[in-house]
């Protein structure tokens, strides 16, 4: 006992007396920290430092403040936004015919372009003083999601000017003259913008673009001015084929020192009218059958005046920082909106189809195998919509959360891909035969586009989420890095010493709490609510402690190597992401007023996220470079093993049943899914058939019973079946008529398209339902 007391006393003295602590602990730790610090390029540092930390920081702290999360207000629409959603948005949606756009027009029809311009769909992020709509992130997300449920081509066309590009860059960095010159035209749609960063040699590694701008003197409008001679070759650029203004990213050099001492100024962004001499807009690409404009642009020795740099000369070389600071809209709103559309459509139409499509005398949604897929669709769609809302909430609160938007982009598009695969499997041939009657195929084809753009997903998962999260969300690491980078060694050491003591306390607290929660199954962890969801809050708090502990130990033992150990760091990123998604699910359940009907979805989603956390931790422990440390961490976080199970089958079955049931719960889960109130349109027709079959359920049951008994033949269909049911007194005259009409609806709801062979060979797709 006295030895322990002496040891504690020694530790207290070492830690408590600043001079001793600095000499024995902080100084060697400072040196070690400087040595293991990952080497960072300027572009990496700018990416790392861009943006804010929000709920992700809480999750990384090991002690998420659930009350503060639940207190955060859900954003609502202004009267103007609501009027736009009810008016111009509905008008646009009704005018969209996605099959016609992609198969015939290979462009949006003239009247759709006209509607987009008339209602200023391109101006959601432009301020009112320039004629823009100045909508919130919530409205932007709602509008793009809903358009994407109708047409991916229209959604991509509209989302691009409303995310990273000329409009946003001008709004944040443009000079007054630039704003006044460009923004009114962009708001009206007279000017069509595109933004060109990617080229053949620079995709994910956009910081290494080979396109150059050299400061020199040249002639502009008959006068000699200081400007930039540009050379570029870009590809994959959305809207480039129709753009009137090109946002261009290039590396700027000043070999003659016309601007100052520096020769290499770095990445710079300029705005160039596409009709400017030397600007070449090349041919179109053909992105997975989608008709949105996407293509190439080139320029050789194109001279532009220096004040075409966005923000003017003072922003020369600041392009990368500007781009990193403006990533939130694209990553947090636009691409997630495409995934949201997939989720809402998949749930709505798969539920309807699984009810109207019968096999072996039963709706296919009654078969367990199909229910498993439907469970995934409903469960993941609950997570998709929850994540959309939480991220939009952060944006509406004024944050620009870089880690959260990276998580949102990656996981929503991945969940969207899973949901779409399941929807297609349930629809089988109906999902494969393309034509106006196929409401899935276009989105299915286009799904990899969201996976690829704004940070291809493999890179986003492996480099961005944890790579940035570990330093940005950790309460001390970024400040410690700044202290280590301080050129004044003494000041750096003092700051480091101060942080280190807190960091040690933080790590010790996490180790103890992670182990304690592991031993007790988190029974004593705090939860802000009581009821069915309490246990999830407790488990998430426990996993948050585990993440904080494992992240600290990884950074301590691997240092700069952790950046290259993508498979290790990505798994910690997965833990952070699933903690975020599970938080989003819990918040949505509360915000929606704890709907009992939503409980199977909530249980499914949360079990799924906890299971994914367990899988990520398991891979992390198994592959930790030092086996002993990996084993020790596993023991501390999961002393009794990893026990998070996949969602129970009963939840999948309950979800499948709910998806096949019309009513308020279905509307709540799929409210962004557009269906046209017109029986001629496939979406309106599917709704009609689905609802009508529900109304006639009793009639259908009687006919099926009679078929089983052999009273009427099982081989009859449609009108003949209705007649036989009437003739055999199974149905009365009125019922037989209703049944016959409903069968016509049902047959049409399961129909697919066919095309004349000769016409199809000529590229004409005049569809006939079959
Ligand atoms: C339809 C479409 C529209 C687009 N619109 C625009 C636009 O308007 N403007 C614009 O500038 N660009 C645009 N892009 C470009 C898009 O942003 C790039 O395609 C994207 O950055 C990926 O580049 P890449 O295709 O060259 O893939 P690559 O960079 O070659 O990547 C190939 C694979 O390697 C992975 N990878 C690369 N490096 C790493 C790493 N360090 N760790 C782990 N994985 C890694 C990537 O995740 C990817 O899976 C568009 C692309 C498409 C397809």
């Amino acid at each position: 006992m006295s030895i322990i007391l002496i040891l504690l006393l020694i530790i207290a003295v070492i830690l408590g007396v600043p001079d001793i602590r600095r000499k024995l602990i902080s100084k060697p730790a400072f040196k070690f920290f400087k040595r293991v610090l990952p080497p960072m390029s300027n572009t990496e540092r700018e990416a790392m430092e861009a943006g804010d930390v929000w709920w992700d920081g809480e999750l990384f702290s090991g002690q998420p403040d659930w009350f503060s999360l639940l207190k955060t207000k859900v954003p609502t629409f202004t009267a103007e936004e609501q009027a736009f959603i009810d008016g111009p948005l509905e008008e646009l949606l009704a005018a969209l015919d996605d099959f016609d756009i992609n198969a015939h027009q290979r462009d949006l029809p003239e009247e759709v372009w006209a509607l987009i311009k008339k209602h200023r769909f391109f101006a959601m992020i432009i301020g009112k003083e320039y004629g823009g709509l100045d909508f919130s992130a919530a409205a932007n997300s709602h509008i793009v999601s809903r358009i994407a449920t109708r047409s991916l081509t229209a959604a991509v066309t509209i989302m691009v000017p409303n995310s990273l590009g000329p409009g946003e860059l001008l709004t944040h960095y443009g000079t007054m003259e630039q704003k006044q010159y460009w923004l009114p035209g962009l708001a009206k749609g007279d000017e069509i913008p595109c933004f060109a960063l990617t080229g053949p040699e620079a995709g994910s590694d956009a910081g290494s673009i080979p396109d150059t701008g050299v400061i020199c003197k040249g002639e502009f409008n008959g006068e000699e001015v200081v400007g930039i001679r540009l050379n570029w070759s870009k590809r994959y650029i959305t809207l480039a084929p129709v753009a009137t203004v090109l946002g261009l990213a290039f590396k700027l050099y000043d070999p003659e020192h016309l601007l100052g001492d520096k020769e290499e100024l770095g990445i710079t962004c300029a705005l160039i009218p596409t009709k400017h001499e030397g600007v070449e807009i090349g041919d179109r690409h053909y992105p997975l059958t989608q008709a949105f404009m996407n293509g190439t642009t080139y320029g050789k020795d194109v001279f532009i005046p220096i004040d075409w740099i966005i923000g003017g000369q003072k922003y020369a070389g600041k392009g990368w920082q500007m781009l990193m600071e403006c990533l939130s809209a694209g990553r947090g709103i636009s691409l997630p909106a495409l995934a949201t559309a997939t989720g809402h459509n998949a749930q709505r139409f798969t539920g309807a189809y699984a009810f109207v499509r019968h096999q072996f005398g039963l709706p296919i949604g009654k078969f367990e195998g199909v229910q498993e897929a439907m469970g995934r669709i409903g469960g993941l769609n609950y997570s998709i919509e929850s994540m959309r809302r939480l991220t939009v909430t952060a944006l509406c609160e004024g944050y620009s959360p870089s880690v959260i938007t990276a998580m949102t982009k990656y996981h929503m598009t991945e969940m969207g891909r899973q949901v779409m695969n399941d929807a297609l499997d349930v629809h089988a041939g109906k999902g494969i035969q393309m034509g106006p009657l196929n409401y899935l195929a276009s989105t299915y084809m286009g799904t990899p586009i969201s996976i690829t753009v704004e940070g291809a997903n493999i890179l986003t998962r492996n480099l961005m989420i944890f790579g940035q999260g570990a330093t940005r969300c950790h309460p001390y690491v970024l400040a410690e890095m700044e202290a280590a980078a301080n050129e004044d060694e003494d000041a750096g050491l003092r700051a480091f010493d101060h942080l280190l003591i807190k960091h040690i306390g933080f790590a010790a607290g996490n180790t103890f709490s992670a182990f304690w929660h592991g031993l007790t199954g988190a029974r004593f962890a705090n939860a802000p609510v009581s009821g069915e969801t309490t246990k999830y809050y407790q488990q998430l708090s426990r996993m948050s402690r585990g993440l904080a502990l494992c992240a600290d130990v990884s950074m301590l033992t691997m240092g700069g190597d952790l950046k290259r150990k993508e498979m290790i760091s990505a798994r910690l990123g997965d833990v952070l992401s699933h903690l975020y998604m599970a938080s989003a699910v819990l918040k949505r359940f509360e915000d929606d007023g704890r709907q009992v009907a939503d409980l199977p979805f909530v249980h499914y989603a949360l079990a799924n996220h906890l299971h994914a956390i367990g899988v990520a931790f398991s891979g992390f422990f198994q592959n930790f470079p030092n086996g002993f440390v990996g084993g020790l961490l596993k023991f501390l976080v999961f002393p009794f093993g990893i026990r998070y199970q996949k969602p129970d089958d009963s939840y999948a079955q309950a979800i499948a049943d709910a998806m096949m049931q019309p009513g308020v719960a279905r509307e709540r889960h799929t409210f962004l899914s557009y269906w046209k109130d017109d029986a001629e349109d496939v979406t309106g027709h599917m709704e009609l058939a689905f609802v009508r079959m529900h109304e006639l359920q009793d009639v259908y049951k009687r006919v099926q019973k009679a078929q089983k008994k052999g009273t009427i033949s099982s081989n009859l269909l449609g009108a003949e079946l209705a007649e036989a049911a009437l003739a055999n007194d199974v149905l009365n005259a009125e019922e037989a008529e209703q049944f016959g009409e409903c069968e016509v609806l049902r047959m049409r709801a399961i129909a697919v398209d066919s095309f004349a062979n000769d016409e199809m060979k000529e590229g004409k797709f005049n569809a006939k339902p079959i």
Side-chain angles (χ1 to χ4, degrees):
M1 191 66 182
S2 53
I3 294 176
I4 294 175
L5 273 177
I6 292 168
L7 276 175
L8 286 175
L9 195 67
I10 292 171
I11 292 171
V13 170
I14 292 174
L15 292 179
V17 181
D19 282 344
I20 301 177
R21 183 179 68 229
R22 247 173 246 156
K23 203 163 175 195
L24 293 184
I25 298 184
S26 305
K27 208 166 180 178
F30 190 55
K31 279 192 181 152
F32 173 76
F33 195 75
K34 281 184 145 193
R35 206 176 60 242
V36 300
L37 206 63
M40 234 187 262
S41 65
N42 278 349
T43 48
E44 277 180 299
R45 194 172 26 79
E46 282 168 3
M48 184 74 75
E49 287 169 3
D52 305 314
V53 173
W54 186 59
W55 180 244
D56 43 342
E58 289 283 323
L59 292 170
F60 222 95
S61 73
Q63 288 171 288
D65 179 356
W66 296 111
F67 287 102
S68 81
L69 178 75
L70 296 187
K71 259 194 342 223
T72 312
K73 284 218 173 70
V74 184
T76 49
F77 300 137
T78 61
E80 218 171 305
E81 288 167 344
Q82 190 62 57
F84 188 90
I85 286 166
D86 295 339
L89 176 59
E90 290 300 304
E91 191 183 347
L92 177 75
L93 291 167
L96 293 171
D97 177 346
D98 196 50
F99 183 73
D100 183 51
I101 290 168
N102 289 328
H104 296 130
Q105 315 267 346
R106 304 274 159 86
D107 188 2
L108 295 173
E110 274 308 311
E111 71 263 24
V112 170
W113 277 109
L115 277 178
I116 288 173
K117 291 176 185 183
K118 177 179 155 202
H119 294 303
R120 305 194 174 205
F121 275 90
F122 284 167
M124 285 192 273
I125 59 168
I126 295 179
K128 288 212 171 107
E129 63 276 33
Y130 300 106
L133 297 171
D134 200 13
F135 281 174
S136 64
N140 186 348
S141 162
H142 180 107
I143 291 164
V144 179
S145 300
R146 195 145 159 85
I147 297 170
T149 67
R150 187 67 172 163
S151 163
L152 187 58
T153 284
V156 171
T157 304
I158 287 169
M159 86 191 195
V160 165
N162 286 299
S163 58
L164 181 55
E168 181 155 29
L169 293 172
L170 281 171
T171 301
H172 285 104
Y173 309 101
T175 61
M176 196 44 83
E177 295 79 50
Q178 287 173 338
K179 289 182 184 177
Q180 282 166 352
Y181 183 81
W182 287 113
L183 290 177
L186 286 168
K188 273 194 261 169
D190 293 345
E191 301 285 357
I192 309 260
C194 70
F195 190 77
L197 176 64
T198 306
E201 294 291 349
S204 302
D205 188 11
S208 67
I209 42 174
D211 314 285
T212 57
V214 176
I215 305 278
C216 59
K217 289 193 177 152
E219 202 183 295
F220 183 69
N221 285 345
E223 279 178 36
E224 192 187 62
V225 295
V226 172
I228 307 170
R229 191 159 305 285
L230 290 164
N231 281 282
W232 74 89
S233 165
K234 304 284 192 183
R235 65 178 183 182
Y236 304 165
I237 310 307
T238 304
L239 293 186
V242 290
T244 61
V245 51
L246 166 71
L248 187 74
F250 53 89
K251 278 198 179 141
L252 187 63
Y253 299 89
D254 185 14
E256 294 175 42
H257 297 281
L258 294 175
L259 296 189
D261 296 341
K262 250 176 141 182
E263 281 199 14
E264 287 190 26
L265 291 160
I267 292 176
T268 301
C269 302
L271 276 193
I272 311 170
T274 52
K275 60 178 193 298
H276 182 64
E277 196 184 339
V279 176
E280 271 187 62
I281 296 294
D283 291 335
R284 274 177 77 175
H285 297 300
Y286 188 22
L288 291 170
T289 72
Q290 302 298 314
F292 64 84
M293 293 291 159
N294 186 259
T296 56
T297 167
Y298 313 92
K300 191 160 171 26
D301 292 333
V302 177
F303 182 79
I304 62 164
I306 196 107
D307 54 11
W308 285 10
I309 292 177
I310 299 176
Q313 192 177 319
K314 71 173 190 289
Y315 279 95
K318 300 253 163 64
W320 190 251
Q321 194 187 334
M322 289 153 74
L323 295 177
M324 290 303 111
E325 283 170 3
C326 290
L327 272 172
S328 296
R331 281 199 198 145
I333 299 175
S334 307
L335 297 160
L338 305 186
T340 304
T342 307
H344 282 237
N345 264 5
Q347 178 162 347
R348 182 168 202 101
F349 294 119
T350 308
Y353 186 72
F355 186 73
V356 302
R357 175 67 173 169
H358 288 193
Q359 290 294 348
F360 308 105
L362 279 176
I364 56 169
K366 289 286 176 198
F367 298 117
E368 286 204 1
V370 175
Q371 288 174 339
E372 191 178 6
M374 291 174 75
R376 262 195 307 271
I377 293 173
L380 289 183
N381 186 37
Y382 198 90
S383 293
I384 287 174
E385 174 58 19
S386 307
M387 195 178 202
R388 182 186 78 85
R389 286 194 207 179
L390 188 59
T391 300
V392 159
T393 300
L395 296 171
C396 286
E397 289 275 307
Y399 293 94
S400 178
S402 46
V403 179
I404 284 180
T405 50
M407 293 194 285
T408 305
K409 191 270 163 174
Y410 174 77
H411 285 279
M412 284 187 62
T413 54
E414 289 295 338
M415 287 191 286
R417 167 148 73 175
Q418 175 67 57
V419 159
M420 181 42 71
N421 282 343
D422 280 317
L424 212 82
D425 287 354
V426 173
H427 282 76
K430 165 85 176 163
I432 287 165
Q433 302 303 355
M434 293 181 76
L437 294 180
N438 191 331
Y439 40 78
L440 292 179
S442 173
T443 314
Y444 176 80
M445 296 292 287
T447 292
I449 295 172
S450 332
I451 303 283
T452 301
V453 298
E454 298 262 9
N457 272 9
I458 295 182
L459 174 104
T460 304
R461 171 171 177 258
N462 286 275
L463 271 191
M464 292 179 184
I465 296 177
F466 187 76
Q468 211 173 357
T471 29
R472 286 311 311 271
C473 304
H474 193 289
Y476 305 113
V477 165
L478 187 61
E480 285 166 349
M481 285 168 85
E482 279 161 5
N486 194 331
E487 282 170 10
D488 177 345
E489 184 102 358
D490 277 350
L493 178 59
R494 272 197 306 279
F496 185 81
D497 171 65
H498 186 65
L499 291 161
L500 187 69
I501 202 80
K502 289 187 181 167
H503 196 152
I504 291 172
F506 173 72
N510 285 330
T511 310
F512 174 78
S513 296
F515 189 54
W516 167 247
H517 286 325
L519 285 178
T520 57
R523 267 178 205 87
F524 304 106
N526 280 336
V529 299
S530 56
E532 295 210 33
T533 52
T534 305
K535 63 180 179 201
Y536 297 115
Y537 287 98
Q538 293 173 322
Q539 290 304 325
L540 295 180
S541 293
R542 173 187 168 198
M543 288 301 101
S544 165
R545 287 285 194 185
L547 172 67
L549 168 64
C550 292
D552 257 343
V553 174
S554 303
M555 286 190 271
L556 186 69
T557 55
M558 282 180 261
D561 277 350
L562 189 54
K563 194 170 94 171
R564 281 175 290 279
K565 292 262 171 220
E566 290 186 354
M567 292 197 218
I568 295 289
S569 60
R571 289 182 175 112
L572 290 181
D574 288 347
V575 174
L576 179 62
S577 301
H578 284 281
L579 283 170
Y580 180 75
M581 288 185 270
S583 312
V585 167
L586 287 166
K587 175 155 171 62
R588 175 182 171 190
F589 181 60
E590 296 301 319
D591 290 340
D592 281 357
R594 306 184 127 224
Q595 300 290 333
V596 175
D598 290 357
L599 276 171
F601 294 82
V602 172
H603 284 302
Y604 189 107
L606 291 167
N608 185 40
H609 292 309
L610 280 173
H611 179 256
I613 288 173
V615 169
F617 265 132
S618 171
F620 169 81
F621 298 134
Q622 186 187 335
N623 294 287
F624 200 83
N626 182 319
F628 172 74
V629 177
L632 181 63
L633 284 173
K634 184 174 180 184
F635 173 71
L636 287 171
V637 183
F638 296 99
F640 302 117
I642 300 174
R643 294 175 165 200
Y644 296 131
Q645 307 286 344
K646 280 189 164 179
D648 284 355
D649 291 347
S650 59
Y651 297 136
Q653 284 171 324
I655 289 172
D657 282 342
M659 281 169 66
M660 291 192 292
Q661 204 60 44
V664 284
R666 179 170 181 259
E667 296 306 320
R668 203 172 44 243
H669 293 163
T670 62
F671 67 97
L672 286 167
S673 184
Y674 177 78
W675 58 275
K676 198 170 186 175
D677 196 5
D678 171 359
E680 288 304 306
D681 186 275
V682 60
T683 54
H685 185 89
M686 183 59 83
E687 282 296 306
L688 188 64
F690 173 61
V691 171
R692 195 71 188 117
M693 278 183 74
H694 263 281
E695 287 164 359
L696 295 183
Q697 260 199 83
D698 175 51
V699 168
Y700 268 87
K701 276 188 188 144
R702 273 166 28 223
V703 172
Q704 275 165 2
K705 213 167 151 192
Q707 283 183 310
K708 260 193 195 150
K709 266 171 64 185
T711 318
I712 42 179
S713 164
S714 303
N715 298 327
L716 297 175
L717 282 173
E720 285 178 345
L721 181 56
E723 273 170 32
L726 177 63
N728 288 284
D729 288 334
V730 177
L731 303 180
N732 64 31
E734 189 188 356
E735 287 167 340
E737 192 185 341
Q738 289 171 339
F739 177 75
E741 284 166 5
C742 194
E743 274 296 274
V744 175
L745 291 177
R746 191 179 72 79
M747 292 304 289
R748 165 89 195 211
I750 62 170
V752 299
D753 297 288
S754 63
F755 306 92
N757 188 13
D758 291 351
E759 288 182 1
M760 201 171 160
K761 280 185 189 168
E762 289 170 20
K764 290 185 202 139
F765 291 90
N766 295 315
K768 288 189 285 299
I770 178 145

